[in-house]
Coordinates of all heavy atoms in Angstrom, one line a residue:
S1 N -80.2 -42.7 -73.5 CA -79.4 -41.5 -73.9 C -80.2 -40.4 -74.3 O -80.0 -39.2 -73.9 CB -78.4 -41.9 -74.9 OG -77.7 -40.8 -75.4
Y2 N -81.3 -40.7 -75.2 CA -82.1 -39.6 -75.6 C -82.9 -39.0 -74.5 O -83.0 -37.8 -74.4 CB -83.1 -40.2 -76.7 CG -84.2 -39.2 -77.1 CD1 -83.8 -38.1 -77.9 CD2 -85.4 -39.4 -76.7 CE1 -84.8 -37.3 -78.3 CE2 -86.4 -38.5 -77.1 CZ -86.1 -37.4 -77.9 OH -87.1 -36.6 -78.3
Y3 N -83.5 -39.8 -73.6 CA -84.3 -39.3 -72.5 C -83.4 -38.6 -71.4 O -83.8 -37.6 -70.8 CB -85.1 -40.4 -71.8 CG -86.1 -41.0 -72.7 CD1 -86.0 -42.3 -73.3 CD2 -87.2 -40.2 -73.0 CE1 -87.0 -42.7 -74.2 CE2 -88.2 -40.7 -73.9 CZ -88.0 -42.0 -74.4 OH -89.0 -42.4 -75.3
A4 N -82.2 -39.1 -71.3 CA -81.2 -38.4 -70.4 C -80.9 -37.0 -70.9 O -80.9 -36.1 -70.1 CB -79.9 -39.3 -70.2
M5 N -80.7 -36.8 -72.1 CA -80.4 -35.5 -72.7 C -81.6 -34.6 -72.6 O -81.5 -33.4 -72.4 CB -79.9 -35.6 -74.1 CG -78.5 -36.2 -74.2 SD -77.3 -35.4 -73.2 CE -77.1 -33.9 -74.2
R6 N -82.8 -35.2 -72.8 CA -84.0 -34.4 -72.7 C -84.2 -33.9 -71.3 O -84.8 -32.8 -71.1 CB -85.3 -35.2 -73.1 CG -85.4 -35.3 -74.6 CD -86.7 -36.0 -75.0 NE -87.8 -35.2 -74.5 CZ -89.0 -35.1 -75.1 NH1 -89.2 -35.9 -76.1 NH2 -89.9 -34.4 -74.6
F7 N -83.7 -34.6 -70.3 CA -83.9 -34.2 -68.9 C -82.6 -33.3 -68.5 O -82.8 -32.4 -67.8 CB -84.0 -35.4 -68.0 CG -84.1 -35.1 -66.6 CD1 -85.2 -34.5 -66.1 CD2 -82.9 -35.2 -65.7 CE1 -85.3 -34.2 -64.7 CE2 -83.0 -34.9 -64.4 CZ -84.2 -34.4 -63.9
A8 N -81.5 -33.7 -69.0 CA -80.3 -33.0 -68.6 C -80.1 -31.6 -69.1 O -79.7 -30.7 -68.3 CB -79.1 -33.8 -69.0
I9 N -80.5 -31.3 -70.3 CA -80.3 -30.0 -70.9 C -81.2 -29.0 -70.2 O -80.6 -27.9 -69.7 CB -80.6 -30.0 -72.4 CG1 -79.7 -30.9 -73.2 CG2 -80.6 -28.6 -73.0 CD1 -78.2 -30.5 -73.1
P10 N -82.5 -29.2 -69.9 CA -83.2 -28.2 -69.2 C -82.7 -28.0 -67.7 O -82.7 -26.9 -67.2 CB -84.7 -28.7 -69.2 CG -84.7 -29.6 -70.3 CD -83.4 -30.2 -70.5
T11 N -82.3 -29.1 -67.1 CA -81.8 -29.1 -65.7 C -80.6 -28.3 -65.7 O -80.4 -27.4 -64.8 CB -81.6 -30.5 -65.2 OG1 -82.8 -31.2 -65.3 CG2 -81.2 -30.5 -63.8
I12 N -79.7 -28.5 -66.6 CA -78.4 -27.7 -66.6 C -78.7 -26.2 -66.8 O -78.2 -25.4 -66.2 CB -77.5 -28.3 -67.6 CG1 -76.9 -29.6 -67.2 CG2 -76.3 -27.3 -67.9 CD1 -76.1 -30.4 -68.2
A13 N -79.6 -25.9 -67.7 CA -80.0 -24.5 -68.0 C -80.6 -23.9 -66.8 O -80.2 -22.7 -66.5 CB -81.0 -24.5 -69.2
I14 N -81.5 -24.6 -66.1 CA -82.1 -24.0 -64.9 C -81.0 -23.8 -63.8 O -81.0 -22.8 -63.2 CB -83.2 -24.9 -64.4 CG1 -84.4 -24.8 -65.3 CG2 -83.6 -24.5 -63.0 CD1 -85.5 -25.9 -65.1
W15 N -80.2 -24.8 -63.7 CA -79.1 -24.7 -62.6 C -78.1 -23.6 -62.9 O -77.8 -22.8 -62.0 CB -78.4 -26.0 -62.5 CG -77.5 -26.2 -61.3 CD1 -76.2 -26.0 -61.3 CD2 -77.9 -26.4 -60.0 NE1 -75.7 -26.2 -60.1 CE2 -76.7 -26.4 -59.2 CE3 -79.1 -26.5 -59.3 CZ2 -76.7 -26.5 -57.8 CZ3 -79.1 -26.7 -58.0 CH2 -77.9 -26.7 -57.2
F16 N -77.6 -23.5 -64.1 CA -76.6 -22.5 -64.4 C -77.1 -21.1 -64.7 O -76.3 -20.2 -64.5 CB -75.8 -23.0 -65.7 CG -74.8 -24.1 -65.4 CD1 -75.1 -25.4 -65.5 CD2 -73.5 -23.7 -65.1 CE1 -74.2 -26.4 -65.2 CE2 -72.6 -24.7 -64.8 CZ -73.0 -26.1 -64.8
V17 N -78.3 -21.0 -65.2 CA -78.8 -19.7 -65.5 C -79.9 -19.2 -64.6 O -79.9 -18.1 -64.0 CB -79.3 -19.6 -67.0 CG1 -79.9 -18.2 -67.3 CG2 -78.2 -20.0 -67.9
G18 N -80.8 -20.1 -64.3 CA -82.0 -19.8 -63.5 C -81.7 -19.4 -62.1 O -82.1 -18.4 -61.5
L19 N -80.9 -20.2 -61.4 CA -80.7 -20.0 -59.9 C -79.9 -18.7 -59.7 O -80.3 -17.9 -58.8 CB -80.0 -21.2 -59.3 CG -80.9 -22.5 -59.2 CD1 -80.1 -23.6 -58.6 CD2 -82.1 -22.1 -58.3
P20 N -78.8 -18.5 -60.4 CA -78.1 -17.2 -60.2 C -79.0 -16.0 -60.6 O -79.0 -14.9 -59.9 CB -76.9 -17.2 -61.1 CG -76.6 -18.7 -61.2 CD -78.0 -19.3 -61.2
F21 N -79.8 -16.1 -61.6 CA -80.7 -15.0 -62.0 C -81.7 -14.7 -60.9 O -82.0 -13.6 -60.6 CB -81.3 -15.3 -63.3 CG -82.2 -14.3 -63.8 CD1 -81.7 -13.1 -64.3 CD2 -83.6 -14.5 -63.9 CE1 -82.5 -12.1 -64.8 CE2 -84.4 -13.5 -64.3 CZ -83.9 -12.3 -64.8
I22 N -82.3 -15.8 -60.4 CA -83.3 -15.6 -59.3 C -82.7 -15.0 -58.1 O -83.3 -14.1 -57.5 CB -84.0 -17.0 -59.0 CG1 -84.9 -17.4 -60.2 CG2 -84.8 -16.9 -57.7 CD1 -85.4 -18.8 -60.1
A23 N -81.5 -15.5 -57.7 CA -80.8 -14.9 -56.6 C -80.5 -13.4 -56.8 O -80.6 -12.6 -56.0 CB -79.5 -15.6 -56.3
Y24 N -80.1 -13.1 -58.1 CA -79.8 -11.6 -58.4 C -81.1 -10.8 -58.3 O -81.0 -9.7 -57.7 CB -79.2 -11.5 -59.8 CG -79.0 -10.1 -60.2 CD1 -78.0 -9.4 -59.7 CD2 -79.9 -9.5 -61.1 CE1 -77.8 -8.1 -60.0 CE2 -79.8 -8.2 -61.4 CZ -78.7 -7.4 -61.0 OH -78.6 -6.2 -61.3
L25 N -82.2 -11.3 -58.8 CA -83.4 -10.6 -58.7 C -83.8 -10.4 -57.3 O -84.2 -9.3 -56.9 CB -84.5 -11.3 -59.5 CG -84.5 -11.2 -61.0 CD1 -85.7 -12.0 -61.6 CD2 -84.6 -9.8 -61.5
Y26 N -83.7 -11.4 -56.5 CA -84.1 -11.3 -55.1 C -83.2 -10.3 -54.3 O -83.7 -9.5 -53.6 CB -84.0 -12.6 -54.4 CG -84.6 -12.7 -53.0 CD1 -86.0 -12.7 -52.8 CD2 -83.8 -12.7 -51.9 CE1 -86.5 -12.7 -51.6 CE2 -84.3 -12.7 -50.6 CZ -85.7 -12.7 -50.5 OH -86.2 -12.7 -49.2
L27 N -81.9 -10.3 -54.6 CA -81.0 -9.4 -54.0 C -81.2 -7.9 -54.4 O -81.2 -7.0 -53.7 CB -79.6 -9.7 -54.2 CG -79.1 -11.0 -53.4 CD1 -77.7 -11.3 -53.9 CD2 -79.1 -10.7 -51.9
S28 N -81.5 -7.8 -55.7 CA -81.7 -6.4 -56.2 C -83.0 -5.8 -55.7 O -83.1 -4.6 -55.5 CB -81.6 -6.4 -57.7 OG -82.6 -7.2 -58.3
I29 N -84.1 -6.7 -55.6 CA -85.3 -6.2 -55.0 C -85.1 -5.8 -53.6 O -85.7 -4.8 -53.1 CB -86.4 -7.3 -55.2 CG1 -86.8 -7.4 -56.6 CG2 -87.6 -7.0 -54.3 CD1 -87.7 -8.6 -56.9
N30 N -84.4 -6.5 -52.8 CA -84.1 -6.3 -51.4 C -82.9 -5.4 -51.1 O -82.5 -5.3 -50.0 CB -84.0 -7.6 -50.6 CG -85.3 -8.3 -50.6 OD1 -86.3 -7.8 -50.0 ND2 -85.4 -9.5 -51.2
K31 N -82.3 -4.8 -52.2 CA -81.1 -4.0 -52.0 C -81.2 -3.0 -50.9 O -80.3 -2.8 -50.1 CB -80.7 -3.4 -53.3 CG -79.4 -2.7 -53.2 CD -79.0 -2.1 -54.6 CE -77.7 -1.4 -54.5 NZ -77.3 -0.7 -55.7
P32 N -82.3 -2.2 -50.8 CA -82.3 -1.2 -49.7 C -82.4 -1.8 -48.3 O -82.0 -1.1 -47.3 CB -83.6 -0.4 -50.0 CG -84.0 -0.7 -51.3 CD -83.4 -2.1 -51.7
K33 N -82.8 -3.1 -48.2 CA -82.9 -3.7 -46.9 C -81.8 -4.7 -46.5 O -81.8 -5.3 -45.5 CB -84.2 -4.5 -46.8 CG -85.4 -3.7 -47.1 CD -86.6 -4.6 -47.1 CE -87.7 -4.1 -48.1 NZ -88.7 -5.1 -48.2
L34 N -80.7 -4.7 -47.4 CA -79.7 -5.7 -47.1 C -78.9 -5.5 -45.9 O -78.3 -6.4 -45.3 CB -78.7 -5.8 -48.3 CG -79.3 -6.3 -49.6 CD1 -78.3 -6.3 -50.7 CD2 -79.8 -7.7 -49.5
H35 N -78.9 -4.3 -45.4 CA -78.2 -4.0 -44.1 C -78.9 -4.3 -42.8 O -78.4 -4.4 -41.8 CB -77.8 -2.5 -44.1 CG -79.0 -1.6 -43.9 ND1 -79.9 -1.3 -44.9 CD2 -79.5 -1.0 -42.8 CE1 -80.9 -0.5 -44.5 NE2 -80.7 -0.3 -43.2
L36 N -80.2 -4.7 -43.0 CA -81.0 -5.1 -41.8 C -80.6 -6.4 -41.3 O -80.2 -7.3 -42.1 CB -82.5 -5.0 -42.2 CG -83.1 -3.7 -42.6 CD1 -84.5 -3.9 -43.0 CD2 -83.0 -2.7 -41.5
L37 N -80.7 -6.6 -40.0 CA -80.3 -7.9 -39.3 C -81.1 -9.0 -39.9 O -80.6 -10.1 -40.1 CB -80.5 -7.7 -37.8 CG -80.1 -9.0 -37.0 CD1 -78.6 -9.3 -37.2 CD2 -80.4 -8.8 -35.5
E38 N -82.4 -8.8 -40.1 CA -83.3 -9.9 -40.6 C -82.8 -10.4 -41.9 O -82.8 -11.6 -42.1 CB -84.7 -9.4 -40.7 CG -85.7 -10.4 -41.2 CD -87.1 -9.8 -41.5 OE1 -87.4 -8.7 -40.9 OE2 -87.9 -10.4 -42.2
K39 N -82.5 -9.5 -42.8 CA -82.0 -10.0 -44.1 C -80.6 -10.6 -44.1 O -80.3 -11.6 -44.8 CB -81.9 -8.7 -45.1 CG -83.3 -8.2 -45.5 CD -84.0 -9.3 -46.2 CE -85.4 -8.7 -46.5 NZ -86.3 -9.7 -47.1
R40 N -79.7 -10.1 -43.2 CA -78.4 -10.7 -43.1 C -78.5 -12.1 -42.5 O -77.7 -13.0 -42.9 CB -77.5 -9.8 -42.1 CG -77.0 -8.6 -42.8 CD -76.0 -7.9 -42.0 NE -76.6 -7.6 -40.7 CZ -76.2 -6.6 -40.0 NH1 -75.1 -6.0 -40.2 NH2 -76.8 -6.3 -38.8
E41 N -79.5 -12.3 -41.7 CA -79.6 -13.7 -41.1 C -80.2 -14.7 -42.1 O -79.9 -15.9 -42.1 CB -80.5 -13.7 -39.9 CG -79.9 -13.0 -38.7 CD -80.8 -12.9 -37.5 OE1 -82.1 -13.1 -37.7 OE2 -80.3 -12.6 -36.4
T42 N -81.1 -14.2 -43.0 CA -81.7 -15.1 -43.9 C -80.9 -15.3 -45.3 O -80.8 -16.4 -45.7 CB -83.1 -14.7 -44.3 OG1 -83.1 -13.3 -44.8 CG2 -84.0 -14.7 -43.1
I43 N -80.5 -14.2 -45.9 CA -79.8 -14.3 -47.1 C -78.4 -13.7 -47.1 O -77.8 -13.5 -48.2 CB -80.6 -13.6 -48.3 CG1 -80.9 -12.2 -48.0 CG2 -81.9 -14.4 -48.5 CD1 -81.5 -11.4 -49.1
G44 N -77.9 -13.5 -46.0 CA -76.6 -12.9 -45.9 C -75.4 -13.7 -46.5 O -74.4 -13.1 -46.9
F45 N -75.6 -15.0 -46.6 CA -74.6 -15.8 -47.1 C -74.3 -15.4 -48.6 O -73.3 -15.7 -49.2 CB -74.9 -17.3 -47.0 CG -76.1 -17.7 -47.8 CD1 -75.9 -18.2 -49.1 CD2 -77.4 -17.6 -47.3 CE1 -77.0 -18.6 -49.8 CE2 -78.5 -18.0 -48.0 CZ -78.3 -18.5 -49.3
L46 N -75.3 -14.8 -49.3 CA -75.1 -14.5 -50.7 C -74.3 -13.2 -50.9 O -73.7 -13.0 -51.9 CB -76.5 -14.2 -51.3 CG -77.4 -15.4 -51.5 CD1 -78.7 -15.0 -52.0 CD2 -76.7 -16.4 -52.5
Y47 N -74.2 -12.4 -49.9 CA -73.4 -11.1 -50.0 C -72.6 -10.8 -48.9 O -72.1 -9.6 -48.8 CB -74.4 -10.0 -50.3 CG -75.4 -9.7 -49.2 CD1 -75.0 -8.7 -48.2 CD2 -76.6 -10.3 -49.1 CE1 -76.0 -8.5 -47.2 CE2 -77.5 -10.1 -48.1 CZ -77.1 -9.1 -47.1 OH -78.0 -8.9 -46.1
A48 N -72.3 -11.7 -48.0 CA -71.5 -11.4 -46.8 C -70.1 -11.1 -47.3 O -69.5 -11.7 -48.1 CB -71.4 -12.7 -45.9
G49 N -69.5 -10.0 -46.7 CA -68.2 -9.6 -47.0 C -68.1 -8.7 -48.2 O -67.0 -8.3 -48.6
L50 N -69.2 -8.4 -48.9 CA -69.2 -7.6 -50.1 C -69.8 -6.2 -49.8 O -70.5 -6.0 -48.8 CB -70.0 -8.2 -51.2 CG -69.6 -9.6 -51.6 CD1 -70.6 -10.2 -52.5 CD2 -68.2 -9.6 -52.2
K51 N -69.4 -5.2 -50.5 CA -70.0 -3.9 -50.3 C -71.4 -3.9 -50.8 O -71.8 -4.7 -51.7 CB -69.2 -2.9 -51.2 CG -67.8 -2.7 -50.7 CD -67.0 -1.7 -51.6 CE -65.6 -1.5 -51.1 NZ -64.8 -0.6 -51.9
Q52 N -72.2 -3.0 -50.2 CA -73.6 -3.0 -50.5 C -73.9 -2.7 -52.0 O -74.8 -3.3 -52.6 CB -74.4 -2.0 -49.7 CG -75.9 -2.2 -49.9 CD -76.7 -1.3 -48.9 OE1 -76.1 -0.7 -48.0 NE2 -77.9 -1.4 -49.0
N53 N -73.1 -1.9 -52.6 CA -73.3 -1.6 -54.0 C -72.7 -2.6 -55.0 O -72.8 -2.5 -56.2 CB -72.8 -0.1 -54.4 CG -71.3 0.0 -54.1 OD1 -70.7 -0.8 -53.4 ND2 -70.8 1.1 -54.6
R54 N -72.0 -3.6 -54.4 CA -71.4 -4.7 -55.2 C -71.9 -6.1 -54.8 O -71.2 -7.1 -54.9 CB -69.9 -4.7 -55.0 CG -69.2 -3.4 -55.4 CD -69.0 -3.3 -56.9 NE -68.0 -2.2 -57.2 CZ -68.4 -1.1 -57.7 NH1 -69.7 -0.9 -58.0 NH2 -67.5 -0.1 -57.9
F55 N -73.2 -6.1 -54.4 CA -73.8 -7.3 -53.9 C -73.8 -8.5 -54.9 O -73.9 -9.6 -54.6 CB -75.2 -7.1 -53.3 CG -76.2 -6.7 -54.4 CD1 -76.9 -7.6 -55.0 CD2 -76.3 -5.3 -54.7 CE1 -77.8 -7.2 -56.0 CE2 -77.2 -5.0 -55.6 CZ -78.0 -5.9 -56.3
Y56 N -73.8 -8.1 -56.2 CA -74.0 -9.1 -57.3 C -72.7 -9.9 -57.5 O -72.7 -10.9 -58.3 CB -74.4 -8.4 -58.5 CG -73.4 -7.3 -59.0 CD1 -72.3 -7.6 -59.7 CD2 -73.6 -6.0 -58.6 CE1 -71.4 -6.6 -60.1 CE2 -72.7 -5.0 -58.9 CZ -71.6 -5.3 -59.7 OH -70.7 -4.3 -60.1
W57 N -71.5 -9.5 -57.0 CA -70.3 -10.1 -57.3 C -70.3 -11.6 -56.9 O -69.7 -12.4 -57.6 CB -69.1 -9.3 -56.6 CG -67.8 -9.8 -57.1 CD1 -66.9 -10.5 -56.3 CD2 -67.2 -9.6 -58.4 NE1 -65.8 -10.8 -57.1 CE2 -66.0 -10.3 -58.3 CE3 -67.7 -9.1 -59.5 CZ2 -65.2 -10.3 -59.4 CZ3 -66.9 -9.1 -60.6 CH2 -65.6 -9.7 -60.6
E58 N -70.9 -11.9 -55.8 CA -70.9 -13.3 -55.4 C -71.6 -14.2 -56.5 O -71.2 -15.3 -56.8 CB -71.6 -13.5 -54.1 CG -71.6 -14.9 -53.5 CD -70.2 -15.4 -53.2 OE1 -69.3 -14.6 -52.8 OE2 -70.0 -16.6 -53.4
L59 N -72.6 -13.6 -57.1 CA -73.3 -14.3 -58.2 C -72.4 -14.5 -59.4 O -72.5 -15.6 -60.1 CB -74.6 -13.6 -58.6 CG -75.6 -13.4 -57.4 CD1 -76.7 -12.6 -57.8 CD2 -76.0 -14.7 -56.8
I60 N -71.6 -13.5 -59.7 CA -70.7 -13.7 -60.8 C -69.7 -14.8 -60.5 O -69.3 -15.6 -61.4 CB -69.9 -12.4 -61.1 CG1 -71.0 -11.4 -61.6 CG2 -68.8 -12.5 -62.1 CD1 -70.4 -9.9 -61.8
L61 N -69.2 -14.9 -59.3 CA -68.3 -15.9 -58.9 C -69.0 -17.3 -58.9 O -68.4 -18.3 -59.3 CB -67.7 -15.6 -57.5 CG -66.8 -14.4 -57.3 CD1 -66.5 -14.2 -55.9 CD2 -65.6 -14.6 -58.2
L62 N -70.2 -17.3 -58.5 CA -71.0 -18.6 -58.6 C -71.1 -19.1 -60.0 O -70.9 -20.3 -60.3 CB -72.4 -18.4 -58.0 CG -73.3 -19.5 -58.0 CD1 -72.8 -20.7 -57.2 CD2 -74.7 -19.1 -57.6
V63 N -71.4 -18.2 -61.0 CA -71.5 -18.6 -62.3 C -70.1 -19.1 -62.8 O -70.0 -20.1 -63.6 CB -72.0 -17.5 -63.2 CG1 -71.8 -17.8 -64.7 CG2 -73.5 -17.2 -62.9
F64 N -69.0 -18.4 -62.5 CA -67.7 -18.8 -62.9 C -67.4 -20.2 -62.3 O -66.9 -21.1 -63.1 CB -66.7 -17.9 -62.3 CG -65.3 -18.2 -62.6 CD1 -64.8 -18.2 -63.9 CD2 -64.4 -18.7 -61.6 CE1 -63.4 -18.5 -64.2 CE2 -63.1 -19.1 -61.9 CZ -62.7 -19.0 -63.2
K65 N -67.8 -20.5 -61.1 CA -67.5 -21.8 -60.5 C -68.3 -22.9 -61.2 O -67.8 -24.0 -61.5 CB -67.8 -21.8 -59.0 CG -66.9 -21.0 -58.2 CD -67.4 -20.9 -56.7 CE -66.6 -20.0 -55.9 NZ -67.0 -19.8 -54.5
M66 N -69.5 -22.6 -61.6 CA -70.4 -23.5 -62.3 C -69.8 -23.9 -63.7 O -69.8 -25.0 -64.1 CB -71.8 -23.0 -62.4 CG -72.6 -23.0 -61.2 SD -74.2 -22.3 -61.5 CE -75.0 -22.5 -59.9
I67 N -69.3 -22.9 -64.3 CA -68.7 -23.1 -65.6 C -67.5 -23.9 -65.5 O -67.2 -24.8 -66.3 CB -68.3 -21.7 -66.3 CG1 -69.6 -21.0 -66.7 CG2 -67.4 -21.9 -67.5 CD1 -69.4 -19.6 -67.1
M68 N -66.6 -23.7 -64.5 CA -65.5 -24.5 -64.2 C -65.8 -26.0 -64.0 O -65.2 -26.9 -64.5 CB -64.6 -24.0 -63.1 CG -64.0 -22.6 -63.4 SD -63.1 -22.5 -64.9 CE -61.7 -23.5 -64.5
I69 N -66.9 -26.2 -63.2 CA -67.3 -27.6 -62.9 C -67.9 -28.2 -64.2 O -67.6 -29.4 -64.4 CB -68.4 -27.6 -61.8 CG1 -67.8 -27.2 -60.5 CG2 -69.1 -28.9 -61.7 CD1 -68.8 -26.9 -59.4
F70 N -68.6 -27.5 -65.0 CA -69.2 -28.0 -66.2 C -68.0 -28.4 -67.1 O -68.0 -29.5 -67.7 CB -70.0 -27.0 -66.9 CG -70.6 -27.4 -68.2 CD1 -71.7 -28.2 -68.2 CD2 -70.0 -27.0 -69.4 CE1 -72.2 -28.6 -69.5 CE2 -70.5 -27.4 -70.6 CZ -71.7 -28.2 -70.6
I71 N -67.0 -27.6 -67.2 CA -65.9 -27.9 -68.1 C -65.1 -29.2 -67.6 O -64.8 -30.0 -68.4 CB -64.9 -26.7 -68.2 CG1 -65.6 -25.6 -69.0 CG2 -63.6 -27.1 -68.8 CD1 -64.8 -24.3 -69.0
S72 N -64.9 -29.2 -66.3 CA -64.2 -30.4 -65.8 C -65.0 -31.7 -65.9 O -64.4 -32.7 -66.0 CB -63.7 -30.1 -64.3 OG -64.9 -30.1 -63.5
V73 N -66.3 -31.6 -65.8 CA -67.1 -32.8 -65.8 C -67.4 -33.3 -67.2 O -67.2 -34.4 -67.6 CB -68.4 -32.6 -65.0 CG1 -69.3 -33.8 -65.3 CG2 -68.1 -32.5 -63.6
F74 N -67.8 -32.3 -68.1 CA -68.3 -32.7 -69.4 C -67.3 -32.6 -70.5 O -67.4 -33.3 -71.5 CB -69.5 -31.9 -69.8 CG -70.7 -32.2 -68.9 CD1 -71.1 -31.3 -68.0 CD2 -71.4 -33.4 -69.1 CE1 -72.2 -31.5 -67.2 CE2 -72.5 -33.6 -68.2 CZ -72.9 -32.7 -67.3
L75 N -66.2 -31.9 -70.3 CA -65.2 -31.8 -71.4 C -63.9 -32.4 -71.0 O -62.9 -32.2 -71.7 CB -65.0 -30.3 -71.7 CG -66.3 -29.5 -72.2 CD1 -66.0 -28.1 -72.4 CD2 -66.9 -30.2 -73.4
A76 N -63.8 -33.2 -70.0 CA -62.6 -33.8 -69.6 C -62.3 -35.0 -70.4 O -63.1 -35.7 -70.9 CB -62.7 -34.3 -68.1

């Protein structure tokens, strides 16, 4: 139990905070190039269907989904 928590807490932190943050940084760095075909083919799934100035909205939805999963798994 002790070792599981020592592994689980950092993993959850990386998964819930780190991945969306890294995706946001990558999208914001590449914001001027998001309309290019090359970027749409590689990372377009992160912002497909969103306005260029609202590319971060998918990340907000991702965090919301992760919170809902966390609540349903750990607080059920």
Side-chain angles (χ1 to χ4, degrees):
S1 173
Y2 173 74
Y3 293 109
M5 290 306 288
R6 282 186 63 153
F7 179 72
I9 299 297
T11 303
I12 290 171
I14 290 170
W15 189 258
F16 280 90
V17 178
L19 290 178
F21 181 71
I22 290 170
Y24 175 77
L25 285 178
Y26 189 75
L27 286 174
S28 61
I29 289 170
N30 290 299
K31 185 178 180 182
K33 303 178 213 169
L34 292 180
H35 68 282
L36 298 175
L37 181 62
E38 177 186 344
K39 291 295 177 188
R40 283 189 300 203
E41 288 176 346
T42 56
I43 59 171
F45 67 94
L46 290 174
Y47 63 92
L50 303 173
K51 295 180 181 177
Q52 188 172 0
N53 60 347
R54 304 275 193 254
F55 66 91
Y56 58 86
W57 188 249
E58 185 64 33
L59 302 174
I60 293 171
L61 293 175
L62 176 66
V63 170
F64 177 73
K65 290 174 187 177
M66 288 180 175
I67 290 170
M68 295 306 292
I69 291 170
F70 179 80
I71 289 171
S72 68
V73 170
F74 292 107
L75 301 178

